[in-house]
């Protein structure tokens, strides 16, 4: 475009706008006016403010509703016209669509930044900077030279940018006028700027956690002669990690979200779960954005087309891109269609669903507009594979499936495989009722009248909201519901990350008149309980448990746990041996403890110390000799030698006692169960005479509370670093890798190792055997070390049982001058990156 200043003509209201432009460097277009000029250009290197809602109706731009177009710096346009008529092609998929035609756009926001080529000749020329009024709808990045009406406006803009990036800000340096005290300049910094003074912390008993890391990110503004504040410096680089969108509400400068909002934010942002696009969402590349939107489209039920694109004039890189629904626009009428005997079916109906991304100065792409609504019916789940943008994904999944199930079928082509999959879709995996695994007899327990229908309606509504929700139903011989299993998307993701140890909790069977509720429970990297799935079992035969364990593994994509803990039950044991052969199975000591409390309830009434002594005997002994001595001492003190139940449980102690199962990894799940009795919190709603829907609602509330605790722990982990007991290289390494809870355990072990002495060392080629003991204590531990591969093992088996090296092994590593923790002894499930 030329460098001249073409006139802006139109309605009288527009003349007023032009007059404003002559007196100010900012040109404002009112959102309630209509412009019918053949061309529009913006002069002067001032600022363009476009906000709110408007309609622009020009010969070169048609049907653009409520648009927000922000184009910055050196853009040339190459699109001669924009219309609601699209190409004659039925679909454009996988190719850059740089056509001159762009169809109806609703609430369209395009932000093209820095030296980019915009393919619209009648857009905006001259170099301009941008201010957007509606900060809630558009992702705004501050820039040097940007002006604000007030200091408060500058703070709000920077704060909005900060929360979308994932950090908090603080008001730092300020310079005020000596004449009237007005702010002359101000600096806003990252909240992790600078360092906390240390000279006053020596006498503090409980010192605060360190948050400042010397971050240099900041924005400086200065007042101009016109009274406005201009950005004079903007530093974007940080020296720390950002928080996630779901925990941004915890930042000091951000308003706290409600509990439900925080849980929902994490659910929607979690990969593999809801995955709904949101404004400000970032992607590393254009392809990543397309894959994300296409995955979302597959779950919802439509196909994606790559539509409008802007490329940089300098390097040709994509500056902005729009992905649309495959039914976007309308097919262009062609005279040749009159002679076509069999015309193609009409697929385009002007759907406005779309996703727009634009490149930011940091090289990432961010969502600047997302239209979710479609004007047509969406495709059913079993037909999604027929959609064009979903075909490649479906074929890849099917090929992988053939390898997984050992199938030898080799289709001649991708098309043949595709049709085979579609033909079988209504028979594979879409009916929650398992007709193949019906019970041979009638169920053991009855359901209340209408309860079966309410359960099915509840599960159907959950699956309608989130297609990833899984549930399955087993029928009895009379085709009545016998057993039900369900797991939502979050539970499946939790299992994929922490499903190495599973506790099958059936504690509800200890209570009378209790609903037959069972859960699969585990522990996350913060040592917090997570739930992997739940079931209602109205039949407790071996066939029922076999169906339940088989369905659970199916829901978890075939992944089996390393260790499974259950109650003492012969039918459960038989079912596990048949469905999970080779998986270590132990009686859960927590279940045995709960049963002991029930059997010895009369003892806790007369003695306040009995429960503490019982708990100590069950959970605190790590050696066989200590456990047996503690058990005998408890029987002596409370006169329980004649108790038959205690005698029977002691005879099978090797199946449940902690000291006999230390060779199996259990992740200290017993401790989590002891701290939080899951079934007890649901006891009120587990009564068999109560309605099932309040039970489902309360269960969801409890699970959300657990989820929220993890969000809080994630936030605290990103903001605070645990304090070190000393300047130790290994402790610094562990602090950077482990979650705070696990680091505390590791630091305690390291502190203990300082008091351990090496009593004896024997050598046999590359194998060394050390006898170590705590100073002043007679008990010795045997630690072996292999110098070839630097492996270390202790007979206390803490690492095998817990996943953290014991103090004895740490002593030997230090004795061998190994100052860094070997990576082979760092379990990912205990690290900050456990979910990565």
């Amino acid at each position: 475009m030329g460098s001249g200043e073409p006139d802006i003509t139109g309605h009288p209201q527009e003349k007023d706008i032009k007059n404003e432009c002559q007196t100010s460097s900012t040109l404002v277009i009112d959102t309630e006016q209509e412009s019918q000029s053949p061309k529009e250009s913006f002069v002067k290197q001032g600022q363009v403010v476009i906000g709110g809602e408007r309609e622009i109706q020009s010969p070169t731009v048609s049907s653009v509703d409520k648009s927000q177009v922000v184009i910055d710096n050196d853009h040339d346009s190459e699109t001669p016209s924009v219309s609601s008529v699209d190409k004659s092609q039925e679909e454009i998929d996988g190719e850059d669509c740089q056509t001159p035609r762009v169809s109806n756009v609703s609430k369209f926001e395009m932000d093209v930044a820095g030296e980019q080529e915009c393919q619209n000749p009648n857009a905006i020329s001259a170099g301009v900077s941008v201010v957007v009024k509606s900060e809630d709808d558009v992702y705004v990045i501050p820039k040097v030279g940007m002006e604000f009406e007030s200091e408060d406006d500058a703070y709000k803009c920077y704060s909005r940018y900060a929360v979308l990036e994932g950090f908090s800000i603080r008001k730092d340096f300020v310079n005020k006028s000596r004449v009237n005290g007005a702010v002359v300049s101000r600096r806003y910094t990252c909240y992790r700027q600078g360092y906390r003074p240390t000279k006053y912390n020596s006498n503090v008993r409980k010192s605060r956690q360190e948050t400042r890391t010397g971050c240099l990110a900041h924005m400086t503004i200065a007042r101009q002669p016109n009274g406005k504040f201009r950005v004079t410096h903007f530093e974007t680089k940080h020296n720390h990690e950002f928080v996630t969108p779901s925990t941004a509400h915890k930042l000091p400068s951000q308003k706290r979200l409600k509990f439900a909002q925080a849980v929902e934010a994490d659910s929607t942002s979690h990969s593999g779960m809801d995955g709904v696009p949101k404004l400000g969402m970032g992607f590393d590349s254009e392809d990543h954005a397309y894959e994300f939107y296409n995955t979302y489209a597959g779950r919802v039920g439509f196909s994606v087309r790559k539509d409008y694109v802007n490329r940089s004039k300098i390097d040709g890189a994509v500056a902005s891109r729009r992905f649309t629904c495959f039914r976007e626009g309308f097919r262009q009428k062609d005279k040749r269609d009159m002679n076509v005997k069999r015309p193609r079916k009409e697929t385009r109906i002007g759907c406005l669903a779309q996703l727009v991304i634009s490149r930011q100065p940091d090289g990432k792409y961010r969502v600047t507009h997302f239209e979710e609504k479609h004007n047509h019916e969406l495709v059913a789940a079993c037909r999604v594979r027929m959609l064009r943008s979903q075909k490649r994904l479906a074929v890849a999944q099917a090929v992988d499936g053939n390898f997984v199930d050992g199938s030898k079928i080799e289709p001649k082509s991708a098309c043949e495989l595709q049709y085979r999959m579609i033909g079988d879709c209504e028979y594979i995996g879409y009916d929650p009722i398992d007709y193949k695994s019906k019970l041979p007899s009638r169920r053991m327990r009855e359901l209340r009248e209408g309860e079966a229908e309410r359960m099915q309606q509840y599960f159907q509504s959950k699956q309608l909201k989130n297609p990833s929700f899984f549930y399955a139903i087993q029928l009895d011989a009379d085709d009545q519901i016998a057993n039900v299993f369900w797991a939502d998307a979050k539970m499946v993701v939790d299992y994929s990350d922490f499903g190495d140890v599973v506790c099958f909790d059936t504690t509800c069977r200890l209570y009378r008149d209790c609903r037959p509720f069972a859960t699969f429970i585990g522990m996350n990297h913060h040592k917090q309980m997570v739930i992997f799935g739940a079931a209602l079992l109205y039949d407790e035969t071996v066939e029922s448990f076999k169906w339940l364990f088989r369905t659970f593994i199916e829901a978890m994509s075939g992944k089996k746990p390393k260790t499974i803990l259950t109650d003492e039950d012969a039918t459960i044991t038989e079912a596990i041996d048949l469905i999970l052969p080779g998986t270590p199975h132990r009686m859960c000591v927590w279940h045995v403890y709960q049963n002991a409390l029930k059997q010895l309830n009369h003892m806790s009434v007369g003695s306040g110390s009995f429960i503490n002594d019982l708990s100590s005997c069950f959970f605190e002994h790590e050696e066989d000799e200590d456990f047996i001595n503690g058990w005998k001492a408890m029987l002596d003190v409370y006169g329980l030698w004649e108790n038959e139940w205690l005698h029977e449980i002691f005879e099978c102690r090797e199946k449940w006692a902690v000291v006999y199962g230390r060779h199996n990894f259990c992740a200290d799940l017993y401790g989590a169960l002891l701290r939080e009795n899951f079934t007890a919190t649901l006891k009120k709603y587990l009564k068999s005479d109560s309605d099932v829907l309040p039970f489902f609602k309360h269960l969801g509330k409890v699970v959300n509370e657990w989820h929220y605790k993890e969000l809080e722990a994630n936030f605290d982990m990103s903001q605070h670093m645990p304090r070190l007991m000393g300047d130790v290289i290994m402790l610094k390494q562990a602090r950077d890798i482990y979650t705070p809870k696990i680091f505390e355990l590791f630091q305690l072990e390291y502190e203990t190792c300082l008091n351990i002495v090496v009593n004896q060392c024997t050598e046999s080629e590359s194998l060394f055997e050390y006898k170590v003991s705590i100073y002043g204590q007679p008990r010795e531990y045997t630690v072996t070390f292999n110098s070839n591969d630097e492996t270390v093992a202790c007979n206390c088996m803490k690492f095998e049982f817990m996943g953290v090296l014991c103090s004895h092994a740490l002593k030997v590593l230090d004795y061998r001058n190994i100052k860094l923790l070997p990576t082979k002894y760092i379990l990912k499930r205990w690290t900050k990156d456990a979910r990565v």
Side-chain angles (χ1 to χ4, degrees), residues 437 520 542-554 558-561 564 571-583:
S437 302
F520 294 89
V542 174
E543 291 300 320
S544 290
F545 286 115
K546 285 172 56 179
W547 173 86
L548 177 61
F549 294 132
R550 188 187 306 115
T551 303
F552 173 72
I553 298 301
E554 176 189 345
K559 179 181 177 181
K560 298 179 181 179
I564 186 167
T571 56
I572 294 178
T573 301
E574 182 179 349
I576 289 178
D577 291 341
L578 293 172
I579 303 301
L580 298 173
T583 300

Side-chain angles (χ1 to χ4, degrees), residues 489-519:
K490 179 66 168 59
M491 297 176 185
V492 175
V493 171
D494 286 342
Y495 182 82
S496 67
D497 295 329
F498 308 110
D500 45 7
V501 180
V502 175
C503 175
F504 181 55
D505 185 10
T506 55
T507 315
C508 65
R509 298 197 295 179
L510 297 177
Y511 305 107
R512 291 183 179 180
D513 300 326
C514 189
R515 195 180 300 278
F517 178 61
T519 55

